[in-house]
């Protein structure tokens, strides 16, 4: 019994430590997302994301540096971009790349891995290549073939940034929409109202994503505290199994990209290539993203968005493990 309680104490301390390290970056990302929703002009994304096919892919790849967002909100943004006529090669590349190639995520990765720049650079590369391949390939299709029929049923949207289509309704005070968000502060334009909107939207974003972070912290702590050493040694000695296991863990946990580096960094028994696989695939394909892909995009497009990043990340990380011995 004493051994059990000792293991539980280790589990609790590891989970708490990971959460306390990661939470400030999740909060910072929530503030950035809220500030963009409240203060940026409604067509800001549409003005920035555009251009010829090659230039458009390049713009979409690095747009997250100036228009940061995590994977939690990037699909609705992409849907609005496509509905406004932004080329698919730009919008799709932005959707896959922005959750990693943005200042908050790059900083959190650098801090989580104690200033290990190769990890940060390889994370960018492992996300950029699938984003470019998928974005450029799907760019050949017209916008109507990208979106699922009925995915954008109406331009109506509430001022919190959520596209509610035909479901937008007026309540007695005229400030609420059917999703339950109170849009009163966002509708107003006074500085005080904008400040209230910023705080409200930040709180909503942080609380919404915290549950995924907590789940990730608990899973990482459970691996370290309870998984037999023989299992961990089997993974660490097999780069292919380690990469595939960490990719499956990333897809299942669905941790926000602003905090997932702390979960990956805590799993020190896995090789660096497996940690990179976790960092690369999670922001492009996870359970919540798969559900949003199915609701937003044509079924064939959804398959491409899921299969191509998984295959490319797996092959690149396994090649890194074999070639570099990480």
């Amino acid at each position: 019994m004493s051994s059990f309680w000792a293991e539980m104490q280790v589990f609790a301390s590891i989970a708490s430590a990971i959460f306390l390290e990661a939470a400030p970056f999740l909060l910072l990302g929530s503030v950035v997302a809220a500030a963009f929703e409240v203060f940026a002009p409604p067509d800001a994304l549409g003005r920035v994301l555009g251009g010829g096919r090659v230039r458009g892919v390049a713009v979409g790849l690095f747009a997250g540096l100036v228009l940061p967002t995590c994977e939690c909100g990037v699909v609705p943004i992409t849907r609005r971009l496509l509905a406004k006529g932004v080329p698919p090669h730009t919008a799709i590349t932005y959707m896959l790349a922005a959750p990693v190639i943005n200042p908050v995520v790059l900083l959190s990765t650098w801090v989580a891995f104690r200033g290990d720049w190769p990890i940060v650079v390889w994370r960018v590369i492992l996300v950029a290549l699938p984003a470019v391949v998928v974005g450029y390939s799907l760019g050949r299709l017209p916008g109507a073939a990208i979106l699922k029929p009925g995915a954008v049923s109406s331009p109506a949207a509430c001022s919190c940034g959520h596209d509610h289509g035909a479901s937008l309704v007026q309540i007695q005070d005229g400030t609420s929409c059917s999703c339950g968000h109170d849009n009163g502060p966002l509708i107003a334009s006074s500085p005080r109202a904008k400040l209230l909107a910023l705080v409200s939207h930040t709180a909503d974003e942080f609380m919404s994503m915290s549950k995924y972070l907590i789940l990730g912290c608990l899973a990482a702590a459970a691996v370290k505290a309870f998984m037999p050493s023989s299992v961990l040694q089997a993974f660490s000695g097999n780069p292919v199994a380690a990469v595939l296991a960490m990719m499956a863990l990333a897809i299942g946990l669905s941790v926000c990209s602003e905090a997932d580096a702390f979960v990956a960094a805590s799993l020190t028994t896995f090789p660096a290539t497996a940690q990179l696989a976790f960092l690369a695939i999670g922001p492009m394909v996870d359970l919540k993203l798969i559900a949003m892909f199915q609701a937003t995009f044509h079924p064939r497009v959804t398959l491409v968005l899921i299969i191509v990043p998984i295959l490319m990340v797996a092959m690149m990380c396994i090649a890194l493990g074999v070639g570099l011995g990480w």
Side-chain angles (χ1 to χ4, degrees):
M1 182 64 70
S2 60
S3 175
F4 171 77
W5 285 113
E7 289 179 344
M8 287 301 298
Q9 288 178 341
V10 172
F11 168 78
S13 62
I14 293 173
S16 300
I18 298 172
F19 181 82
L20 291 175
E21 276 192 305
F25 291 93
L26 182 59
L27 178 60
L28 177 60
S30 301
V31 172
V32 171
F36 184 79
E37 287 289 347
V38 174
F39 298 108
D43 59 346
L45 283 171
R47 292 202 309 266
V48 173
L49 302 181
R53 194 169 174 189
V54 174
R55 178 182 177 275
V57 168
V59 170
L61 186 63
F62 295 106
L65 293 173
V66 292
L67 304 172
T69 185
C70 71
E71 77 276 11
C72 314
V74 76
V75 174
I77 291 175
T78 302
R79 179 180 59 187
R80 293 201 300 269
L81 292 174
L82 290 168
K84 289 181 178 180
V86 174
H89 53 263
T90 302
I92 297 296
T93 304
Y94 172 80
M95 181 181 72
L96 295 177
V100 167
I101 306 178
N102 76 64
V104 176
V105 173
L106 297 179
L107 177 61
S108 70
T109 305
W110 183 79
V111 172
F113 284 88
R114 304 296 188 264
D116 191 343
W117 280 109
I119 292 290
V120 178
V121 172
W122 275 112
R123 185 180 194 185
V124 170
I125 293 172
L126 291 170
V127 169
L129 291 179
V132 169
V133 169
V134 174
Y136 192 85
S137 300
L138 293 179
R140 299 176 181 176
L141 300 176
I146 298 289
L147 290 173
K148 185 177 183 180
V152 182
S153 57
S154 169
C158 72
S159 55
C160 67
H162 292 81
D163 183 1
H164 301 282
S167 66
L168 187 65
V169 296
Q170 287 290 332
I171 311 300
Q172 286 184 348
D173 60 2
T175 64
S176 298
C177 62
S178 58
C179 69
H181 289 88
D182 182 3
N183 297 294
L186 292 166
I187 294 173
S189 58
S190 68
R192 180 177 179 276
K194 286 185 177 293
L195 179 60
L196 290 175
L198 178 67
V199 173
S200 175
H201 196 92
T202 298
D204 285 345
E205 185 76 13
F206 182 80
M207 295 303 296
S208 175
M209 290 304 104
S210 288
K211 58 181 178 287
Y212 298 107
L213 174 58
I214 292 172
L215 178 61
C217 295
L218 293 176
V223 169
K224 298 192 71 172
F226 303 124
M227 186 171 287
S229 59
S230 59
V231 175
L232 294 177
Q233 288 172 0
F235 279 120
S236 61
N238 188 329
V240 175
V243 165
L244 296 180
M246 286 290 275
M247 289 179 66
L249 187 63
I251 293 171
L253 292 181
S254 304
V255 183
C256 181
S257 62
E258 292 153 354
D260 62 356
F262 294 92
V263 176
S266 71
L267 298 171
T268 54
T269 52
F270 287 86
T273 47
Q275 293 174 313
L276 281 169
F278 182 98
L279 295 173
I281 197 61
M284 291 189 288
V285 181
D286 64 23
L287 292 182
K288 65 180 182 296
L289 281 172
I290 291 173
M292 288 190 284
F293 289 163
Q294 291 176 332
T296 304
F297 299 107
H298 189 279
R300 292 181 180 178
V301 173
T302 298
L303 286 177
V304 172
L305 292 172
I306 296 171
I307 294 173
V308 173
I310 289 176
L311 292 178
M312 289 189 66
V313 169
M315 290 188 294
M316 289 188 293
C317 288
I318 291 170
L320 280 175
V322 173
L324 299 180
W326 278 9

mmCIF file of all heavy atoms in Angstrom, residues 273-307:
data_model
loop_
_atom_site.group_PDB
_atom_site.id
_atom_site.type_symbol
_atom_site.label_atom_id
_atom_site.label_comp_id
_atom_site.label_asym_id
_atom_site.label_seq_id
_atom_site.Cartn_x
_atom_site.Cartn_y
_atom_site.Cartn_z
ATOM 1 N N THR A 273 13.424 11.869 -31.684
ATOM 2 C CA THR A 273 12.599 11.790 -32.893
ATOM 3 C C THR A 273 11.151 11.459 -32.544
ATOM 4 O O THR A 273 10.231 11.934 -33.222
ATOM 5 C CB THR A 273 13.149 10.718 -33.851
ATOM 6 O OG1 THR A 273 13.421 9.516 -33.122
ATOM 7 C CG2 THR A 273 14.411 11.194 -34.528
ATOM 8 N N ALA A 274 10.936 10.656 -31.509
ATOM 9 C CA ALA A 274 9.567 10.352 -31.089
ATOM 10 C C ALA A 274 8.914 11.584 -30.475
ATOM 11 O O ALA A 274 7.723 11.849 -30.706
ATOM 12 C CB ALA A 274 9.568 9.191 -30.101
ATOM 13 N N GLN A 275 9.669 12.345 -29.696
ATOM 14 C CA GLN A 275 9.142 13.594 -29.144
ATOM 15 C C GLN A 275 8.792 14.570 -30.269
ATOM 16 O O GLN A 275 7.761 15.246 -30.226
ATOM 17 C CB GLN A 275 10.159 14.218 -28.195
ATOM 18 C CG GLN A 275 10.395 13.411 -26.921
ATOM 19 C CD GLN A 275 11.510 13.984 -26.078
ATOM 20 O OE1 GLN A 275 12.587 14.296 -26.583
ATOM 21 N NE2 GLN A 275 11.265 14.138 -24.784
ATOM 22 N N LEU A 276 9.641 14.627 -31.299
ATOM 23 C CA LEU A 276 9.359 15.495 -32.448
ATOM 24 C C LEU A 276 8.106 15.032 -33.190
ATOM 25 O O LEU A 276 7.324 15.859 -33.671
ATOM 26 C CB LEU A 276 10.554 15.507 -33.401
ATOM 27 C CG LEU A 276 11.729 16.394 -32.997
ATOM 28 C CD1 LEU A 276 12.945 16.116 -33.878
ATOM 29 C CD2 LEU A 276 11.338 17.866 -33.093
ATOM 30 N N ALA A 277 7.916 13.718 -33.300
ATOM 31 C CA ALA A 277 6.713 13.205 -33.956
ATOM 32 C C ALA A 277 5.463 13.660 -33.208
ATOM 33 O O ALA A 277 4.453 14.034 -33.818
ATOM 34 C CB ALA A 277 6.771 11.676 -34.027
ATOM 35 N N PHE A 278 5.526 13.626 -31.875
ATOM 36 C CA PHE A 278 4.427 14.114 -31.042
ATOM 37 C C PHE A 278 4.165 15.594 -31.324
ATOM 38 O O PHE A 278 3.014 16.025 -31.507
ATOM 39 C CB PHE A 278 4.793 13.902 -29.579
ATOM 40 C CG PHE A 278 3.724 14.309 -28.590
ATOM 41 C CD1 PHE A 278 2.883 13.362 -28.046
ATOM 42 C CD2 PHE A 278 3.584 15.628 -28.188
ATOM 43 C CE1 PHE A 278 1.905 13.723 -27.129
ATOM 44 C CE2 PHE A 278 2.617 16.003 -27.274
ATOM 45 C CZ PHE A 278 1.770 15.040 -26.741
ATOM 46 N N LEU A 279 5.245 16.385 -31.376
ATOM 47 C CA LEU A 279 5.119 17.835 -31.563
ATOM 48 C C LEU A 279 4.633 18.202 -32.955
ATOM 49 O O LEU A 279 3.986 19.232 -33.139
ATOM 50 C CB LEU A 279 6.473 18.499 -31.302
ATOM 51 C CG LEU A 279 7.025 18.406 -29.881
ATOM 52 C CD1 LEU A 279 8.437 18.969 -29.834
ATOM 53 C CD2 LEU A 279 6.127 19.145 -28.906
ATOM 54 N N ALA A 280 4.960 17.370 -33.953
ATOM 55 C CA ALA A 280 4.616 17.707 -35.327
ATOM 56 C C ALA A 280 3.193 17.300 -35.693
ATOM 57 O O ALA A 280 2.459 18.070 -36.322
ATOM 58 C CB ALA A 280 5.614 17.053 -36.288
ATOM 59 N N ILE A 281 2.783 16.078 -35.303
ATOM 60 C CA ILE A 281 1.491 15.588 -35.783
ATOM 61 C C ILE A 281 0.319 16.169 -35.006
ATOM 62 O O ILE A 281 -0.755 16.413 -35.575
ATOM 63 C CB ILE A 281 1.454 14.046 -35.763
ATOM 64 C CG1 ILE A 281 0.306 13.548 -36.642
ATOM 65 C CG2 ILE A 281 1.331 13.529 -34.341
ATOM 66 C CD1 ILE A 281 0.410 13.949 -38.090
ATOM 67 N N GLY A 282 0.491 16.394 -33.693
ATOM 68 C CA GLY A 282 -0.630 16.860 -32.879
ATOM 69 C C GLY A 282 -1.305 18.122 -33.387
ATOM 70 O O GLY A 282 -2.541 18.180 -33.474
ATOM 71 N N PRO A 283 -0.538 19.170 -33.755
ATOM 72 C CA PRO A 283 -1.174 20.396 -34.239
ATOM 73 C C PRO A 283 -1.807 20.271 -35.620
ATOM 74 O O PRO A 283 -2.551 21.156 -36.038
ATOM 75 C CB PRO A 283 -0.002 21.395 -34.277
ATOM 76 C CG PRO A 283 1.009 20.830 -33.334
ATOM 77 C CD PRO A 283 0.887 19.352 -33.466
ATOM 78 N N MET A 284 -1.500 19.195 -36.368
ATOM 79 C CA MET A 284 -2.081 19.021 -37.704
ATOM 80 C C MET A 284 -3.212 18.008 -37.725
ATOM 81 O O MET A 284 -4.169 18.148 -38.502
ATOM 82 C CB MET A 284 -0.993 18.595 -38.700
ATOM 83 C CG MET A 284 0.031 19.673 -39.011
ATOM 84 S SD MET A 284 1.142 19.243 -40.377
ATOM 85 C CE MET A 284 2.154 17.984 -39.578
ATOM 86 N N VAL A 285 -3.113 16.975 -36.892
ATOM 87 C CA VAL A 285 -4.136 15.926 -36.854
ATOM 88 C C VAL A 285 -4.306 15.459 -35.407
ATOM 89 O O VAL A 285 -3.371 14.918 -34.817
ATOM 90 C CB VAL A 285 -3.741 14.709 -37.723
ATOM 91 C CG1 VAL A 285 -4.855 13.651 -37.669
ATOM 92 C CG2 VAL A 285 -3.475 15.116 -39.161
ATOM 93 N N ASP A 286 -5.456 15.691 -34.827
ATOM 94 C CA ASP A 286 -5.816 15.093 -33.547
ATOM 95 C C ASP A 286 -7.318 14.848 -33.547
ATOM 96 O O ASP A 286 -7.991 15.128 -34.545
ATOM 97 C CB ASP A 286 -5.351 15.940 -32.359
ATOM 98 C CG ASP A 286 -6.014 17.314 -32.292
ATOM 99 O OD1 ASP A 286 -7.108 17.477 -32.864
ATOM 100 O OD2 ASP A 286 -5.436 18.222 -31.671
ATOM 101 N N LEU A 287 -7.835 14.307 -32.469
ATOM 102 C CA LEU A 287 -9.241 13.902 -32.471
ATOM 103 C C LEU A 287 -10.192 15.070 -32.696
ATOM 104 O O LEU A 287 -11.165 14.963 -33.442
ATOM 105 C CB LEU A 287 -9.575 13.192 -31.155
ATOM 106 C CG LEU A 287 -8.909 11.827 -30.938
ATOM 107 C CD1 LEU A 287 -9.362 11.215 -29.620
ATOM 108 C CD2 LEU A 287 -9.210 10.880 -32.089
ATOM 109 N N LYS A 288 -9.906 16.203 -32.045
ATOM 110 C CA LYS A 288 -10.818 17.337 -32.216
ATOM 111 C C LYS A 288 -10.703 17.918 -33.626
ATOM 112 O O LYS A 288 -11.709 18.358 -34.206
ATOM 113 C CB LYS A 288 -10.559 18.400 -31.154
ATOM 114 C CG LYS A 288 -9.225 19.086 -31.195
ATOM 115 C CD LYS A 288 -9.125 20.120 -30.076
ATOM 116 C CE LYS A 288 -7.796 20.869 -30.116
ATOM 117 N NZ LYS A 288 -6.638 19.987 -29.869
ATOM 118 N N LEU A 289 -9.506 17.900 -34.202
ATOM 119 C CA LEU A 289 -9.336 18.383 -35.571
ATOM 120 C C LEU A 289 -10.036 17.461 -36.566
ATOM 121 O O LEU A 289 -10.659 17.937 -37.529
ATOM 122 C CB LEU A 289 -7.853 18.488 -35.912
ATOM 123 C CG LEU A 289 -7.119 19.717 -35.379
ATOM 124 C CD1 LEU A 289 -5.622 19.582 -35.642
ATOM 125 C CD2 LEU A 289 -7.645 20.998 -36.014
ATOM 126 N N ILE A 290 -9.920 16.160 -36.368
ATOM 127 C CA ILE A 290 -10.590 15.219 -37.272
ATOM 128 C C ILE A 290 -12.090 15.477 -37.296
ATOM 129 O O ILE A 290 -12.722 15.481 -38.360
ATOM 130 C CB ILE A 290 -10.285 13.772 -36.852
ATOM 131 C CG1 ILE A 290 -8.806 13.441 -37.124
ATOM 132 C CG2 ILE A 290 -11.191 12.788 -37.593
ATOM 133 C CD1 ILE A 290 -8.370 12.093 -36.584
ATOM 134 N N ALA A 291 -12.681 15.725 -36.123
ATOM 135 C CA ALA A 291 -14.117 16.019 -36.069
ATOM 136 C C ALA A 291 -14.437 17.309 -36.826
ATOM 137 O O ALA A 291 -15.433 17.378 -37.559
ATOM 138 C CB ALA A 291 -14.561 16.127 -34.613
ATOM 139 N N MET A 292 -13.597 18.336 -36.663
ATOM 140 C CA MET A 292 -13.837 19.600 -37.370
ATOM 141 C C MET A 292 -13.597 19.457 -38.869
ATOM 142 O O MET A 292 -14.313 20.054 -39.681
ATOM 143 C CB MET A 292 -12.955 20.693 -36.779
ATOM 144 C CG MET A 292 -13.392 21.147 -35.398
ATOM 145 S SD MET A 292 -12.523 22.631 -34.795
ATOM 146 C CE MET A 292 -10.946 21.918 -34.332
ATOM 147 N N PHE A 293 -12.604 18.667 -39.273
ATOM 148 C CA PHE A 293 -12.377 18.409 -40.701
ATOM 149 C C PHE A 293 -13.615 17.777 -41.331
ATOM 150 O O PHE A 293 -14.065 18.184 -42.412
ATOM 151 C CB PHE A 293 -11.189 17.454 -40.892
ATOM 152 C CG PHE A 293 -9.844 18.060 -40.588
ATOM 153 C CD1 PHE A 293 -8.747 17.238 -40.385
ATOM 154 C CD2 PHE A 293 -9.668 19.432 -40.518
ATOM 155 C CE1 PHE A 293 -7.501 17.784 -40.113
ATOM 156 C CE2 PHE A 293 -8.426 19.989 -40.234
ATOM 157 C CZ PHE A 293 -7.339 19.152 -40.039
ATOM 158 N N GLN A 294 -14.176 16.778 -40.661
ATOM 159 C CA GLN A 294 -15.337 16.069 -41.205
ATOM 160 C C GLN A 294 -16.552 16.972 -41.333
ATOM 161 O O GLN A 294 -17.363 16.807 -42.249
ATOM 162 C CB GLN A 294 -15.673 14.861 -40.325
ATOM 163 C CG GLN A 294 -14.629 13.757 -40.386
ATOM 164 C CD GLN A 294 -14.931 12.608 -39.448
ATOM 165 O OE1 GLN A 294 -15.571 12.785 -38.409
ATOM 166 N NE2 GLN A 294 -14.478 11.415 -39.783
ATOM 167 N N ALA A 295 -16.676 17.935 -40.430
ATOM 168 C CA ALA A 295 -17.812 18.851 -40.477
ATOM 169 C C ALA A 295 -17.625 19.974 -41.484
ATOM 170 O O ALA A 295 -18.609 20.621 -41.870
ATOM 171 C CB ALA A 295 -18.052 19.448 -39.089
ATOM 172 N N THR A 296 -16.390 20.206 -41.925
ATOM 173 C CA THR A 296 -16.088 21.394 -42.725
ATOM 174 C C THR A 296 -15.729 21.084 -44.169
ATOM 175 O O THR A 296 -16.149 21.806 -45.078
ATOM 176 C CB THR A 296 -14.923 22.179 -42.081
ATOM 177 O OG1 THR A 296 -15.267 22.503 -40.735
ATOM 178 C CG2 THR A 296 -14.638 23.462 -42.852
ATOM 179 N N PHE A 297 -14.967 20.015 -44.401
ATOM 180 C CA PHE A 297 -14.396 19.777 -45.720
ATOM 181 C C PHE A 297 -15.030 18.580 -46.413
ATOM 182 O O PHE A 297 -15.635 17.708 -45.779
ATOM 183 C CB PHE A 297 -12.879 19.551 -45.599
ATOM 184 C CG PHE A 297 -12.145 20.722 -45.021
ATOM 185 C CD1 PHE A 297 -11.640 20.666 -43.728
ATOM 186 C CD2 PHE A 297 -11.971 21.886 -45.746
ATOM 187 C CE1 PHE A 297 -10.965 21.745 -43.181
ATOM 188 C CE2 PHE A 297 -11.301 22.974 -45.211
ATOM 189 C CZ PHE A 297 -10.803 22.904 -43.923
ATOM 190 N N HIS A 298 -14.876 18.567 -47.738
ATOM 191 C CA HIS A 298 -15.323 17.440 -48.547
ATOM 192 C C HIS A 298 -14.640 16.158 -48.036
ATOM 193 O O HIS A 298 -13.486 16.202 -47.614
ATOM 194 C CB HIS A 298 -14.953 17.690 -50.015
ATOM 195 C CG HIS A 298 -15.555 16.708 -50.966
ATOM 196 N ND1 HIS A 298 -15.005 15.452 -51.183
ATOM 197 C CD2 HIS A 298 -16.650 16.781 -51.769
ATOM 198 C CE1 HIS A 298 -15.733 14.808 -52.076
ATOM 199 N NE2 HIS A 298 -16.741 15.585 -52.435
ATOM 200 N N PRO A 299 -15.335 15.011 -48.053
ATOM 201 C CA PRO A 299 -14.739 13.787 -47.503
ATOM 202 C C PRO A 299 -13.363 13.445 -48.077
ATOM 203 O O PRO A 299 -12.478 12.999 -47.342
ATOM 204 C CB PRO A 299 -15.772 12.710 -47.856
ATOM 205 C CG PRO A 299 -17.074 13.451 -47.890
ATOM 206 C CD PRO A 299 -16.742 14.803 -48.450
ATOM 207 N N ARG A 300 -13.159 13.637 -49.371
ATOM 208 C CA ARG A 300 -11.850 13.327 -49.959
ATOM 209 C C ARG A 300 -10.778 14.290 -49.451
ATOM 210 O O ARG A 300 -9.632 13.891 -49.220
ATOM 211 C CB ARG A 300 -11.933 13.369 -51.484
ATOM 212 C CG ARG A 300 -12.775 12.242 -52.080
ATOM 213 C CD ARG A 300 -12.800 12.306 -53.595
ATOM 214 N NE ARG A 300 -13.605 11.230 -54.158
ATOM 215 C CZ ARG A 300 -13.834 11.064 -55.456
ATOM 216 N NH1 ARG A 300 -13.301 11.917 -56.326
ATOM 217 N NH2 ARG A 300 -14.580 10.070 -55.879
ATOM 218 N N VAL A 301 -11.144 15.548 -49.284
ATOM 219 C CA VAL A 301 -10.206 16.526 -48.736
ATOM 220 C C VAL A 301 -9.865 16.159 -47.299
ATOM 221 O O VAL A 301 -8.705 16.251 -46.871
ATOM 222 C CB VAL A 301 -10.799 17.945 -48.822
ATOM 223 C CG1 VAL A 301 -9.911 18.958 -48.104
ATOM 224 C CG2 VAL A 301 -10.987 18.348 -50.285
ATOM 225 N N THR A 302 -10.868 15.731 -46.539
ATOM 226 C CA THR A 302 -10.634 15.317 -45.154
ATOM 227 C C THR A 302 -9.635 14.173 -45.083
ATOM 228 O O THR A 302 -8.733 14.170 -44.238
ATOM 229 C CB THR A 302 -11.965 14.896 -44.500
ATOM 230 O OG1 THR A 302 -12.848 16.020 -44.468
ATOM 231 C CG2 THR A 302 -11.737 14.401 -43.086
ATOM 232 N N LEU A 303 -9.764 13.189 -45.982
ATOM 233 C CA LEU A 303 -8.819 12.074 -46.005
ATOM 234 C C LEU A 303 -7.402 12.557 -46.276
ATOM 235 O O LEU A 303 -6.444 12.094 -45.645
ATOM 236 C CB LEU A 303 -9.243 11.046 -47.058
ATOM 237 C CG LEU A 303 -10.451 10.174 -46.712
ATOM 238 C CD1 LEU A 303 -10.786 9.251 -47.881
ATOM 239 C CD2 LEU A 303 -10.170 9.340 -45.469
ATOM 240 N N VAL A 304 -7.256 13.488 -47.205
ATOM 241 C CA VAL A 304 -5.926 14.031 -47.508
ATOM 242 C C VAL A 304 -5.361 14.754 -46.295
ATOM 243 O O VAL A 304 -4.181 14.586 -45.946
ATOM 244 C CB VAL A 304 -5.994 14.979 -48.729
ATOM 245 C CG1 VAL A 304 -4.658 15.699 -48.925
ATOM 246 C CG2 VAL A 304 -6.359 14.209 -49.984
ATOM 247 N N LEU A 305 -6.187 15.560 -45.638
ATOM 248 C CA LEU A 305 -5.739 16.325 -44.472
ATOM 249 C C LEU A 305 -5.306 15.414 -43.315
ATOM 250 O O LEU A 305 -4.481 15.817 -42.488
ATOM 251 C CB LEU A 305 -6.860 17.257 -43.996
ATOM 252 C CG LEU A 305 -7.213 18.410 -44.924
ATOM 253 C CD1 LEU A 305 -8.469 19.128 -44.432
ATOM 254 C CD2 LEU A 305 -6.061 19.393 -45.034
ATOM 255 N N ILE A 306 -5.859 14.214 -43.252
ATOM 256 C CA ILE A 306 -5.511 13.280 -42.174
ATOM 257 C C ILE A 306 -4.344 12.378 -42.568
ATOM 258 O O ILE A 306 -3.352 12.250 -41.827
ATOM 259 C CB ILE A 306 -6.728 12.422 -41.785
ATOM 260 C CG1 ILE A 306 -7.839 13.307 -41.199
ATOM 261 C CG2 ILE A 306 -6.327 11.336 -40.786
ATOM 262 C CD1 ILE A 306 -9.154 12.582 -40.979
ATOM 263 N N ILE A 307 -4.429 11.760 -43.732
ATOM 264 C CA ILE A 307 -3.479 10.713 -44.109
ATOM 265 C C ILE A 307 -2.112 11.273 -44.481
ATOM 266 O O ILE A 307 -1.072 10.755 -44.031
ATOM 267 C CB ILE A 307 -4.053 9.864 -45.266
ATOM 268 C CG1 ILE A 307 -5.282 9.089 -44.773
ATOM 269 C CG2 ILE A 307 -2.997 8.909 -45.808
ATOM 270 C CD1 ILE A 307 -6.010 8.349 -45.871
#
